[in-house]
Amino acid sequence: RRSHMAVSYTDPQVSMDLLRAVLQPSFNEDIMAVFKKYHKFFEKAAENVKENVGDDVKTDQLIREACRNVLEHVRSLPVSHQTLMTSAQLVL
Amino acid sequence: RRSHMAVSYTDPQVSMDLLRAVLQPSFNEDIMAVFKKYHKFFEKAAENVKENVGDDVKTDQLIREACRNVLEHVRSLPVSHQTLMTSAQLVL
């Protein structure tokens, strides 16, 4: 048991991942906060479009497309395509 | 020219994308700010590991792995896997 702990605390990857695990909830919250902020703008815009154009406007679809587009136009994140690919579960 | 404008302003997708384009710089900034914040924590931790473990520790690699891992543990973003796939250019 003792040697197991010793290995854990001196392994660089393990040390880094302990920190990662500690920060994870806060990171998730920060990322979600950004998405929620812009989602709100798109919701209002879609309601507006519906008022102006007519009831056949599907607001949910407009919002989803806008969210997808805003993400597709993000550039130069400090992570790779490959990383983003595996980074989240789908909700939309 | 007039009819072109009329089409633009009544097309729901176009209206939504005009808003998206307006919000894009701010969205990019917010997302980058989150990444920078946690990148900083990982930088400090990696320096610490190097001090404790020795000079053969590759801090850049440790930081990159930590960034990848924190993203891989993000759950329930309001976007799909597919969307994230195409959402960013790689820098790392």
Side-chain angles (χ1 to χ4, degrees):
Chain A
R1 178 190 167 138
R2 212 191 194 185
S3 73
H4 173 69
M5 282 178 67
V7 169
S8 295
Y9 285 114
T10 55
D11 185 303
Q13 270 87 15
V14 173
S15 305
M16 292 297 284
D17 205 57
L18 284 171
L19 175 65
R20 195 276 310 153
V22 168
L23 296 178
Q24 191 73 51
S26 167
F27 182 83
N28 290 358
E29 233 173 71
D30 288 356
I31 290 283
M32 284 304 293
V34 174
F35 280 101
K36 273 180 194 158
K37 175 177 166 188
Y38 293 89
H39 198 272
K40 224 179 284 175
F41 290 132
F42 292 134
E43 272 170 19
K44 285 184 185 173
E47 286 303 327
N48 205 278
V49 166
K50 193 186 175 97
E51 266 179 41
N52 293 333
V53 178
D55 282 341
D56 54 330
V57 170
K58 287 172 183 154
T59 53
D60 280 1
Q61 197 187 323
L62 285 179
I63 296 165
R64 219 177 308 132
E65 281 169 7
C67 286
R68 197 180 310 131
N69 288 334
V70 81
L71 261 175
E72 273 168 15
H73 286 81
V74 171
R75 288 293 174 269
S76 59
L77 277 181
V79 288
S80 73
H81 246 101
Q82 195 64 28
T83 303
L84 283 171
M85 273 167 71
T86 52
S87 72
Q89 302 287 71
L90 70 154
V91 171
L92 262 199
Chain B
R1 179 193 164 132
R2 211 190 195 184
S3 74
H4 173 70
M5 284 180 64
V7 168
S8 295
Y9 285 115
T10 55
D11 184 302
Q13 269 87 14
V14 173
S15 304
M16 291 297 285
D17 205 56
L18 284 172
L19 176 65
R20 195 275 311 155
V22 168
L23 296 177
Q24 191 72 51
S26 169
F27 181 83
N28 290 356
E29 233 173 71
D30 287 357
I31 289 284
M32 284 303 293
V34 174
F35 280 101
K36 273 179 196 160
K37 174 178 166 187
Y38 292 89
H39 199 272
K40 225 178 282 176
F41 291 131
F42 292 134
E43 271 169 20
K44 285 183 184 175
E47 286 303 327
N48 204 279
V49 166
K50 195 187 174 95
E51 267 180 41
N52 293 332
V53 178
D55 281 343
D56 53 330
V57 169
K58 287 174 183 150
T59 53
D60 280 2
Q61 197 188 324
L62 285 179
I63 297 165
R64 218 176 309 130
E65 281 169 7
C67 287
R68 196 180 311 131
N69 288 333
V70 80
L71 261 174
E72 272 168 16
H73 286 81
V74 171
R75 288 293 174 269
S76 60
L77 276 182
V79 289
S80 72
H81 246 99
Q82 195 64 30
T83 304
L84 282 171
M85 273 168 70
T86 51
S87 70
Q89 303 286 72
L90 69 155
V91 171
L92 261 198

